[in-house]
Amino acid sequence: MNYSEALAYMKKAAERGSVLGLSRITELLRLMGDPQGKLKTVHISGTNGKGSFGAMLTSVLKNAGYKVGGFSSPAITKVTDSFRIDGCEISNQEFADIIGDIVPICESMDEKPTEFEVLTAAAFELFVRKGCDIAVVECGMGGDLDSTNVIKAPVLSVITNVQKDHSAFLGDTIAEIASHKSGIIKKGRPVYFGGDSEEAYEIIADAAEKNGSELFLPDYSRFEWSESCFGINGADFIYNGEKLHIPLLGTYQLENAVNVISCVEILRHEGLKISCEAVRRGLADVKWHGRFEVLSKEPLIIYDGAHNPDGIRCAADSIRRYFSDKQVALLIGVMADKEYGLYADMLGELAETAFAVKPANPRSLDSQKLADALNAKGLRTEPFAVLAEGVRAAYSYAKEHDVPLIVLGSLYMYREVTDALSGISE
């Protein structure tokens, strides 16, 4: 099977929709010889921060000498971006080879697996074939019914935080959402919770107790940083007296770094050999797309995949920290199921104007509806039916008025935005 054929099959699988449950993925993996059972795995759930956390942990483990598989979603650029070996995206042909071997098994099943289930199975099989020492696997949504939750004995389960998102599937309350995410906790295996919600903590602590799993929390007393530690080249902080650096922007990345370092200590107790030097180098070397990422310096353009209220709150905090002396321009595109009405309340004082676009996704919100909602709250917003035209208009505005342009919203539009910017600069 070649790459185009693999993509065609994934499109066919996508037409089956998104159906929660573990029966299909369990059957598919059984027919494949249960590759997930042959791996050491760190399993990650949480509302925000999963991708950045996974990227940091992968970089640390790689620098400790381990071969690390990584699976995350959604894909930021193209489907192969969801699969990484030692932090590097796999090739088109590697993806095609794996999918080609799985397709006959999928087609032999009475109930065919969904797109994400096929991708999940492909990830486990890839990591086994590549001889990975450990895999860092991110839930697609929720936890208990997510197709990645076939892992029976993870080295560590991680719940980065719990906030409101995907309410149509996970519930309207923090308690309901936490109950889904705590479903990744397995009997006798350690679990780490990095969030600050007391309501979520109670649910997670109860699930950990029922499973006989030791629950760990972050200890901020060993970390030090100041308001001045944030710069356009990253952030510096001190852990146990040692100065560490992360190149990722966004004030929330320090919380992710605290979670990673806390989990490294747990992994050491689980037998992994991770030196302090591996932690230092790993954090300093980490790369990740779409999280307060600088796409252009002149004009300054930053992309942040903030798409739910907590993500927007964190993005607003970062904008204040980095650009306290001036307002910014915004380019926004979101999915229709997001609480986009809150965006103007959270961002309005920080922006002098906004440009609304519609990502190329069937769940996207129409740009006119987004603009109407933002204008109604006092944030001057111009809609663009064609995303590339919105990018060009926002780029020209930022350059003419010498203001930073912050691109916010769905990660599904990351490639469209970067392609449009590439066309402008050529």
Side-chain angles (χ1 to χ4, degrees):
M1 179 175 280
N2 61 36
Y3 183 62
S4 295
E5 291 169 333
L7 291 182
Y9 185 78
M10 295 314 303
K11 183 178 180 180
K12 177 181 176 181
E15 292 171 355
R16 298 167 191 153
S18 178
V19 186
L20 294 175
L22 300 179
S23 60
R24 292 170 303 279
I25 184 66
T26 298
E27 175 67 6
L28 174 57
L29 289 168
R30 184 188 66 79
L31 294 171
M32 292 170 57
D34 285 321
Q36 79 282 4
K38 302 171 185 176
L39 295 162
K40 289 183 177 179
T41 307
V42 176
H43 196 195
I44 310 167
S45 182
T47 305
N48 295 315
K50 297 187 296 295
S52 298
F53 174 94
M56 289 187 197
L57 182 59
T58 294
S59 186
V60 169
L61 291 171
K62 175 188 174 184
N63 276 277
Y66 293 101
K67 189 169 188 177
V68 190
F71 180 57
S72 61
S73 63
I76 299 177
T77 54
K78 60 181 183 177
V79 66
T80 51
D81 189 50
S82 285
F83 306 83
R84 294 177 176 270
I85 304 296
D86 285 342
C88 297
E89 179 180 345
I90 67 170
S91 69
N92 291 357
Q93 192 55 53
E94 285 174 313
F95 176 76
D97 289 343
I98 292 287
I99 298 301
D101 289 342
I102 294 176
V103 166
I105 302 174
C106 295
E107 292 302 300
S108 73
M109 296 170 58
D110 292 334
E111 188 176 1
K112 307 295 188 291
T114 66
E115 177 188 25
F116 190 66
E117 289 166 347
V118 177
L119 294 175
T120 300
F124 290 131
E125 179 64 20
L126 172 73
F127 302 153
V128 170
R129 292 187 185 185
K130 290 292 185 179
C132 292
D133 300 305
I134 191 166
V136 178
V137 176
E138 177 187 320
C139 285
M141 181 174 64
D144 53 350
L145 298 178
D146 187 80
S147 65
T148 63
N149 201 30
V150 290
I151 303 164
K152 293 184 178 179
V155 178
L156 174 64
S157 297
V158 178
I159 303 172
T160 55
N161 54 52
V162 178
Q163 303 291 340
K164 290 186 178 181
D165 197 16
H166 298 297
S167 295
F169 295 95
L170 304 180
D172 295 318
T173 68
I174 293 295
E176 288 177 299
I177 297 170
S179 67
H180 284 289
K181 296 189 184 300
S182 64
I184 70 168
I185 300 173
K186 300 301 190 302
K187 289 191 179 298
R189 302 308 306 149
V191 57
Y192 176 86
F193 176 51
D196 58 4
S197 167
E198 184 64 30
E199 188 176 7
Y201 166 76
E202 291 178 1
I203 298 294
I204 293 166
D206 183 62
E209 183 178 2
K210 289 178 179 177
N211 281 281
S213 302
E214 187 171 4
L215 175 60
F216 295 86
L217 303 172
D219 179 4
Y220 282 92
S221 66
R222 290 175 291 173
F223 296 85
E224 299 176 46
W225 63 74
S226 64
E227 295 292 320
S228 62
C229 79
F230 299 98
I232 203 65
N233 294 314
D236 297 303
F237 65 102
I238 295 173
Y239 170 67
N240 280 349
E242 181 180 1
K243 185 176 181 180
L244 300 174
H245 174 78
I246 49 173
L248 304 182
L249 300 189
T251 56
Y252 50 83
Q253 294 295 7
L254 278 179
E255 295 178 14
N256 289 325
V258 168
N259 288 340
V260 167
I261 292 173
S262 299
C263 287
V264 163
E265 294 187 359
I266 303 169
L267 293 175
R268 285 170 175 159
H269 286 297
E270 292 299 314
L272 275 71
K273 296 180 180 179
I274 308 170
S275 68
C276 294
E277 179 62 14
V279 173
R280 186 190 66 77
R281 289 200 313 264
L283 292 178
D285 293 344
V286 65
K287 296 178 177 63
W288 195 238
H289 297 302
R291 299 296 194 273
F292 230 81
E293 176 190 1
V294 176
L295 300 181
S296 166
K297 292 189 175 180
E298 291 188 10
L300 181 60
I301 302 176
I302 292 175
Y303 194 108
D304 192 78
H307 57 273
N308 54 47
D310 185 62
I312 294 294
R313 177 188 61 77
C314 291
D317 180 59
S318 294
I319 292 171
R320 290 188 187 94
R321 295 285 183 92
Y322 293 116
F323 309 114
S324 59
D325 59 335
K326 64 168 61 177
Q327 287 189 309
V328 303
L330 301 174
L331 177 74
I332 308 177
V334 298
M335 298 296 105
D337 61 347
K338 302 304 176 185
E339 297 181 66
Y340 56 88
L342 299 174
Y343 291 10
D345 295 331
M346 304 171 80
L347 298 165
E349 65 173 330
L350 306 173
E352 56 185 47
T353 193
F355 302 82
V357 296
K358 181 181 180 181
N361 185 288
R363 296 192 294 111
S364 297
L365 178 69
D366 180 77
S367 58
Q368 185 64 60
K369 288 184 178 180
L370 176 58
D372 289 345
L374 298 179
N375 278 312
K377 293 288 187 73
L379 176 55
R380 185 182 65 190
T381 306
E382 184 178 359
F384 289 85
V386 179
L387 187 142
E389 292 180 359
V391 172
R392 284 194 289 271
Y395 178 96
S396 297
Y397 183 92
K399 192 167 186 177
E400 180 181 348
H401 294 82
D402 189 28
V403 296
L405 173 62
I406 312 298
V407 185
L408 294 172
S410 175
L411 286 170
Y412 287 112
M413 69 177 186
Y414 179 90
R415 185 172 182 179
E416 290 181 90
V417 170
T418 53
D419 285 349
L421 288 173
S422 177
I424 293 172
S425 61
E426 289 176 353

